[in-house]
Amino acid sequence: MQIKVQAMGIYQTNCYIITVDEKDFIIDPGVNATEWVVKNVTNPVAILNTHGHFDHVWSNDELQKKLNVKLYTPKGDVMLLKESSWMPDLPPSTPDVEVEPNEELNLQGVKIKFHHFPGHCPGCSMIEIGDAMFSGDFLFERSIGRTDFPYSSTSDMKDSLQRFKKFDFDKTLYPGHGGTTTIKQEQQLADYWIGQL
């Protein structure tokens, strides 16, 4: 598996291209991501959203049309693709597939699991592909997603962190912003963040 990453826009939102068996999966194509993505894919299969916030989905529609691939978005965040209270000029997009909570997909022989961890927003998910976990804005290196946005929920975030603590395996985490970390590293801080919420 090969992973390419480029931080996009003023919020430096990580856009990822994951290549498995010569198949390319695009995760969270943010602001002005299209040119970089097009230059770095050879066999695009799907666009995957960890959640629906504008800085992660800005280039969804443009890439759907340019690459002729399907868009997969967590069901709870589909409404966020149409409008943004922060960014009224958000280009709207429509997912081809509304992913159910904790659904596992098989896309051309590649297993992709959406782990539902609401709190930052209703559909917030981590996407597991092989030995990598793309944590979106649920978890960052030594930090967690904010819960003071519209549709955020502190109680949901606490519940999500409690469930995250129960993961009995370790993988590298690739967050929506900043550098990589691991499941085990962030599990050590889960109780601290629960106490802070």
Side-chain angles (χ1 to χ4, degrees):
M1 184 167 68
Q2 182 184 30
I3 298 172
K4 298 174 185 172
V5 59
Q6 180 67 44
M8 300 292 176
I10 60 172
Y11 294 102
Q12 292 291 280
T13 305
N14 290 331
C15 176
Y16 294 98
I17 299 170
I18 300 88
T19 305
V20 183
D21 298 332
E22 300 182 347
K23 303 177 182 80
D24 299 321
F25 300 88
I26 300 118
I27 293 181
D28 289 358
V31 178
N32 298 327
T34 300
E35 183 179 356
W36 178 77
V37 170
V38 170
K39 282 182 178 178
N40 284 277
V41 294
T42 53
N43 182 24
V45 171
I47 301 165
L48 314 172
N49 293 151
T50 60
H51 65 296
H53 283 158
F54 74 91
D55 57 318
H56 294 255
V57 304
W58 192 275
S59 299
N60 274 353
D61 185 65
E62 191 174 28
L63 279 169
Q64 273 176 285
K65 292 170 179 171
K66 195 172 283 281
L67 300 177
N68 192 29
V69 295
K70 290 184 177 180
L71 170 64
Y72 296 75
T73 302
K75 191 170 189 176
D77 279 7
V78 170
M79 80 289 194
L80 297 176
L81 303 186
K82 301 296 184 186
E83 60 179 346
S84 169
S85 57
W86 304 297
M87 288 285 174
D89 55 344
L90 170 71
S93 56
T94 302
D96 299 282
V97 178
E98 298 182 9
V99 182
E100 297 289 342
N102 301 308
E103 185 173 357
E104 184 172 299
L105 307 170
N106 187 316
L107 302 182
Q108 296 189 19
V110 179
K111 288 184 179 180
I112 297 172
K113 175 74 180 282
F114 280 71
H115 296 269
H116 187 221
F117 286 111
H120 180 65
C121 52
C124 196
S125 300
M126 298 204 298
I127 299 174
E128 180 181 4
I129 304 176
D131 59 0
M133 189 81 79
F134 299 88
S135 59
D137 283 3
F138 172 46
L139 291 172
F140 311 107
E141 184 181 14
R142 304 184 63 81
S143 190
I144 62 172
R146 290 170 59 174
T147 57
D148 58 343
F149 291 144
Y151 304 109
S152 294
S153 169
T154 299
S155 60
D156 283 352
M157 179 63 90
K158 287 181 179 179
D159 178 67
S160 289
L161 287 167
Q162 291 286 5
R163 289 188 294 108
F164 170 70
K165 283 168 54 182
K166 296 177 182 177
F167 274 0
D168 60 356
F169 57 89
D170 197 17
K171 290 179 188 279
T172 301
L173 285 183
Y174 295 84
H177 305 267
T180 60
T181 180
T182 67
I183 289 173
K184 293 297 185 188
Q185 281 179 278
E186 301 313 315
Q187 282 178 325
Q188 294 174 26
L189 295 168
D191 284 333
Y192 169 79
W193 292 118
I194 291 168
Q196 293 295 308
L197 290 167

